[in-house]
Amino acid sequence: MKGFSRFLRYLKPYPIRVSVAIFLILAVSGLTLTYPEILRHYVDEALPHKDWALTQRLMLLFTGFFLIRGMLSYANRYLLQHIGMRICVDLRKDMFAHLQSLSLKYYENQQTGQLVARVAEDTGALYNLVTNVLTNTVSDSVTILVVIAMMFKINWLLALMTIAILPLFVFNYKFHLKHARTLSRIHRRNWFRVMGFLHERVSSARLVKSFAMEEKEIDRFNSGVERDLGNFNRLTLYNARLWVMSDMISSLGTLMVLFYGGWETINGRMSLGSLIEFTTLIGFLFSPLVRLSDVNSIIERAFVALQKIYQVLDTPSFVVEAPKAQDLPRVVGKIELRNVQFSFDAGRHVLRQINLVAEPGQMIALVGRSGSGKTTLINLLCRFYDVDSGSILIDDVDIRDVKIKSLRRQIAVVMQENMLFGGSLLDNIRYGNPQASMQEVVQAAKAAHAEEFIEKLDTGYYSRVGERGVKLSGGQRQRIAIARALLTNPRILIFDEATSALDTESERLIQDAMEKFIAGRTTFVIAHRLSTILKADKIVVLQDGEIVEEGRHNELLQKQGVYRRLYDMQFREPQPTPDDED
């Protein structure tokens, strides 16, 4: 209920609409309850006395109430659906905004499909909660109270007999509630697994086909959805049993009323119209109770969805901005790491006592075997994670003391596998600087050697790249990524193995673009191909999370250490090396 009360806060911005919806619900319920009264007058007065004028008035009254009820129901349904979707939109906005605030550590432990399902499907369950549960709860609760009062007015003994049946509804509900709630949670958990599996396989279609694993993946998916179906069937069985038992209890109450009410009518102590009115009211009493019982499944799904939603919304970010953080001014580009230590899991250090200084405009190359901590160091510089101890300073300012956005806006990252969004080339190049002019976009594309292939496309910069940029080659995607980074005019550049997966021609073009791009900027380059970093101002060799060597290319070769072994592994034959500029 605490989670449900949090959900109700989303109704607060719309008090007028909610109030009007509740009024319409009550108005529709009130008009509905006039039917038994009209029916009693029709049976007891109009028909026995053959009063055609009264019959016409009653039919006209019935028709008027019917039409007004229909219009109010239409307005009420529209308004509730509008409110329900408005709340879903607000929740989805909050969830997406919170997801954007979370650090990379959160995403490393989550499946993309599960997160997508929580934003898309769980909020949809709350739409049903507003549109169906709110209507039934308010309308049926008021109807039950008014019907009971009307029953006592007609025949207090029959009313007591009817009320005696009501505890059976409560017992039936309580009996099935616990099992339904447990099965509903299991169903949602299983469905999230299926959604995660589906997202991974669809996004990795090329990998699946390259290994001819289509049939295997079909079997895995079929197995997953069949397991989910089995759990859903058990949940449906409990809900169906709840509904059937409620209906049987309703039928028992009707039978008791017809038996005793018929006896009262035969003996003249009750009119036929009153008996028909009372019997009709039973439908208005037990039908709402049955609906309230049937609403259980919607409520259970909504409560489970709320739990999942608030698991996301209540997840704190591992990277928290300081309360008094200031904007980082335009930097010169000096970067210093002082005694930096970091670990993903307690006790397992990824980086140990890292001390490193990059002067403005220098190119720093990070080399080492996979898992040595190169990318982690870059992630700390971008503050995707926070250091466990030590500090990272830019122009002598600790990056934990500045606003995260102001830090990242001065850093551009070009990764090995750059993600492009499924829009146009223009949209992707402008991603980091949406206000850039077309002239600036073209200049950035030319500097990244992307203009040559863009001009060959039918629609040029407006060409669609497909999801994740699948319509472009690896080299073309990298050049677009470099153009995108160049357009933000960063002071700090990071190339994370930007050419390791490219062919020789693409690598040559991108190397040329990189050399033009890095001029005057502090640059970090992670490279497995040592040929790309021979001109670096400083090469830092990492091993098991520690800096084991540091210097220029020729200096490190002369040390005959880790760097020399890495170099010899790539260049079996003697290779010419640039002269030491010192």
Side-chain angles (χ1 to χ4, degrees):
M1 294 307 297
K2 182 179 179 181
F4 186 68
S5 64
R6 288 180 64 182
F7 166 71
L8 291 179
R9 297 174 191 169
Y10 283 90
L11 293 172
K12 285 187 176 180
Y14 316 106
I16 296 177
R17 277 174 272 191
V18 173
S19 300
V20 172
I22 293 175
F23 171 78
L24 291 174
I25 292 172
L26 296 176
V28 170
S29 300
L31 289 172
T32 303
L33 292 176
T34 62
Y35 297 168
E37 186 69 17
I38 293 173
L39 185 60
R40 182 178 67 80
H41 287 288
Y42 179 70
V43 172
D44 283 347
E45 299 174 20
L47 292 182
H49 298 93
K50 299 180 181 180
D51 190 338
W52 179 240
L54 179 58
T55 300
Q56 287 181 314
R57 288 196 300 272
L58 290 174
M59 294 303 102
L60 183 62
L61 190 63
F62 183 91
T63 302
F65 284 163
F66 175 80
L67 292 176
I68 295 173
R69 179 181 179 274
M71 289 187 291
L72 293 180
S73 295
Y74 174 79
N76 177 57
R77 178 56 58 182
Y78 170 79
L79 187 57
L80 280 174
Q81 289 178 348
H82 170 76
I83 295 172
M85 187 51 66
R86 180 70 260 174
I87 290 173
C88 286
V89 169
D90 292 343
L91 265 171
R92 286 167 180 166
K93 286 180 178 179
D94 287 349
M95 290 186 71
F96 185 78
H98 187 69
L99 286 171
Q100 297 306 303
S101 72
L102 297 177
S103 62
L104 291 182
K105 186 176 287 189
Y106 174 78
Y107 290 96
E108 290 168 355
N109 298 319
Q110 300 293 326
Q111 282 190 316
T112 303
Q114 289 184 348
L115 293 178
V116 171
R118 288 180 181 178
V119 175
E121 293 189 11
D122 285 336
T123 52
L126 299 177
Y127 171 81
N128 290 330
L129 181 65
V130 174
T131 57
N132 293 327
V133 176
L134 180 61
T135 303
N136 291 343
T137 302
V138 175
S139 175
D140 293 340
S141 298
V142 172
T143 298
I144 289 170
L145 293 175
V146 175
V147 165
I148 290 176
M150 293 175 68
M151 284 181 168
F152 271 99
K153 181 182 177 182
I154 297 170
N155 189 305
W156 66 271
L157 189 56
L158 276 178
L160 287 176
M161 293 173 60
T162 305
I163 293 176
I165 301 297
L166 299 185
L168 295 177
F169 276 93
V170 177
F171 175 77
N172 180 47
Y173 179 82
K174 294 290 186 180
F175 179 78
H176 291 89
L177 177 64
K178 182 178 180 180
H179 296 289
R181 179 174 294 175
T182 301
L183 288 173
S184 182
R185 287 174 180 153
I186 295 173
H187 167 62
R188 297 302 300 170
R189 185 167 63 247
N190 289 345
W191 181 242
F192 284 144
R193 289 187 186 132
V194 172
M195 287 293 292
F197 178 90
L198 177 63
H199 186 277
E200 287 182 349
R201 269 48 182 188
V202 170
S203 60
S204 305
R206 181 176 296 180
L207 175 64
V208 173
K209 292 182 180 299
S210 66
F211 284 93
M213 291 292 288
E214 293 92 339
E215 294 298 326
K216 186 69 174 178
E217 298 299 352
I218 290 172
D219 290 341
R220 290 176 179 172
F221 181 78
N222 291 346
S223 176
V225 294
E226 287 294 337
R227 283 195 304 271
D228 181 69
L229 176 62
N231 176 259
F232 181 77
N233 286 339
R234 290 191 294 273
L235 175 61
T236 303
L237 179 64
Y238 271 96
N239 288 327
R241 188 184 300 170
L242 171 64
W243 187 89
V244 170
M245 292 297 295
S246 299
D247 189 56
M248 291 178 64
I249 295 169
S250 174
S251 300
L252 175 62
T254 304
L255 178 63
M256 292 172 58
V257 169
L258 288 176
F259 183 82
Y260 180 76
W263 171 261
E264 291 284 280
T265 302
I266 291 172
N267 287 278
R269 291 187 292 272
M270 188 175 185
S271 69
L272 179 60
S274 295
L275 177 61
I276 293 175
E277 180 183 9
F278 198 99
T279 307
T280 305
L281 287 172
I282 290 177
F284 288 124
L285 176 64
F286 288 123
S287 294
L289 287 171
V290 171
R291 283 197 299 270
L292 287 175
S293 299
D294 197 32
V295 155
N296 170 61
S297 60
I298 299 175
I299 293 176
E300 287 306 311
R301 286 196 294 271
F303 279 171
V304 172
L306 276 174
Q307 290 177 346
K308 300 297 183 182
I309 288 171
Y310 286 124
Q311 281 180 6
V312 175
L313 292 176
D314 292 340
T315 300
S317 177
F318 293 102
V319 177
V320 180
E321 198 168 83
K324 297 182 179 180
Q326 301 293 319
D327 283 326
L328 180 65
R330 184 70 173 172
V331 301
V332 177
K334 180 182 178 181
I335 299 173
E336 184 178 359
L337 285 76
R338 296 178 181 172
N339 301 317
V340 168
Q341 292 200 145
F342 177 77
S343 59
F344 288 106
D345 303 313
R348 188 175 66 86
H349 289 293
V350 179
L351 294 175
R352 301 182 184 87
Q353 296 299 321
I354 300 296
N355 288 281
L356 177 63
V357 176
E359 297 296 338
Q362 280 190 332
M363 175 181 174
I364 309 297
L366 303 176
V367 301
R369 297 180 183 275
S370 297
S372 59
K374 304 183 299 295
T375 300
T376 301
L377 191 151
I378 293 304
N379 287 335
L380 291 173
L381 176 59
C382 297
R383 213 182 166 201
F384 295 144
Y385 310 104
D386 270 338
V387 298
D388 294 340
S389 62
S391 58
I392 299 176
L393 297 92
I394 297 180
D395 291 352
D396 298 322
V397 177
D398 193 317
I399 62 174
R400 290 171 295 189
D401 296 332
V402 301
K403 293 182 178 179
I404 295 174
K405 288 183 180 179
S406 68
L407 166 68
R408 292 174 183 167
R409 282 175 182 151
Q410 302 200 52
I411 301 174
V413 182
V414 181
M415 297 173 285
Q416 179 180 359
E417 296 182 5
N418 272 284
M419 172 68 71
L420 299 184
F421 295 104
S424 66
L425 287 169
L426 180 62
D427 293 335
N428 277 280
I429 295 175
R430 274 180 174 165
Y431 183 71
N433 185 7
Q435 288 76 38
S437 66
M438 193 65 194
Q439 181 180 1
E440 291 172 325
V441 171
V442 172
Q443 289 176 348
K446 286 181 178 179
H449 291 290
E451 173 78 1
E452 57 186 66
F453 79 82
I454 294 176
E455 288 181 338
K456 295 178 183 178
L457 300 174
D458 293 337
T459 52
Y461 285 90
Y462 298 95
S463 301
R464 313 295 288 185
V465 301
E467 185 178 5
R468 301 169 65 92
V470 294
K471 293 184 179 181
L472 303 179
S473 69
Q476 289 171 338
R477 286 197 298 271
Q478 283 299 71
R479 280 178 271 173
I480 294 298
I482 292 176
R484 178 171 60 191
L486 179 60
L487 197 59
T488 64
N489 191 27
R491 293 300 304 150
I492 300 169
L493 269 174
I494 296 172
F495 290 94
D496 190 351
E497 301 183 34
T499 63
S500 62
L502 302 180
D503 57 79
T504 304
E505 182 180 359
S506 295
E507 182 182 9
R508 181 184 58 78
L509 290 172
I510 290 175
Q511 284 286 2
D512 182 55
M514 287 170 57
E515 289 181 7
K516 295 179 181 178
F517 191 13
I518 66 177
R521 309 175 197 270
T522 305
T523 306
F524 284 81
V525 179
I526 298 176
H528 279 150
R529 294 182 182 178
L530 300 184
S531 58
T532 63
I533 50 101
L534 299 182
K535 296 181 180 179
D537 297 294
K538 185 185 297 184
I539 298 174
V540 178
V541 184
L542 290 164
Q543 183 171 284
D544 297 328
E546 297 180 318
I547 296 178
V548 293
E549 293 178 351
E550 184 178 330
R552 303 194 65 160
H553 172 69
N554 285 340
E555 296 172 354
L556 294 178
L557 286 181
Q558 294 172 4
K559 289 184 178 180
Q560 301 293 319
V562 176
Y563 181 79
R564 180 72 195 209
R565 289 196 297 272
L566 292 173
Y567 182 83
D568 289 342
M569 288 175 63
Q570 291 190 23
F571 303 97
R572 297 299 182 185
E573 298 179 1
Q575 299 289 325
T577 60
D579 294 332
D580 194 322
E581 296 178 7
D582 291 339

